[in-house]
């Protein structure tokens, strides 16, 4: 349930994860929801059967979470820099890893 994932990301931020720097709260919330990105297969016409077969696949595996953490951390740092705030890539990767875990 994405509402639960979102609330978990906010709870991690309130528990101290927001101290990881600018953009850490948003990174935690997105990271908490990111493993369920496989749901995009349904509107792409792949259907519910595809989702059921692939949900909890690579996006929920340790390797997938490591790749997602790095990608999300780099993207979040880029967004923070574009917004005029200095986002530390290692800290935002750590925030992403925390949210994904």
């Amino acid at each position: 349930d994405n509402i639960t994932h979102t609330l978990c990301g906010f709870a991690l931020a309130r528990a101290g994860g927001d101290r990881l720097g600018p953009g850490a709260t948003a990174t935690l919330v997105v990271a908490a929801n990111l493993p369920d990105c496989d749901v995009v297969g349904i509107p792409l016409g792949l259907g519910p059967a595809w989702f059921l077969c692939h949900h909890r696949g690579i996006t929920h595996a340790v390797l997938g979470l490591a790749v997602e953490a790095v990608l999300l951390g780099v993207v979040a740092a880029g967004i923070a820099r574009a917004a005029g705030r200095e986002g530390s890539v290692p800290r935002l990767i750590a925030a992403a890893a925390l949210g994904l875990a």
Side-chain angles (χ1 to χ4, degrees), residues 3-98:
I3 293 172
T4 304
H5 291 298
T6 301
L7 291 174
C8 183
F10 278 119
L12 288 168
R14 294 287 295 162
D18 57 352
R19 293 186 215 143
L20 290 169
T25 298
T27 302
L28 284 163
V29 171
V30 171
N33 285 284
L34 192 58
D36 287 337
C37 67
D38 51 9
V39 74
V40 299
I42 295 173
L44 291 176
L46 299 173
W50 181 89
F51 174 73
L52 290 173
C53 288
H54 293 91
H55 190 60
R56 306 254 189 255
I58 190 69
T59 60
H60 286 78
V62 174
L63 179 61
L65 296 181
V67 170
E68 290 169 337
V70 171
L71 291 176
L72 180 57
V74 170
V75 168
I79 291 171
R81 287 192 183 124
R85 300 185 312 180
E86 188 61 32
S88 167
V89 174
R91 286 176 167 258
L92 290 174
I93 290 174
L98 178 64

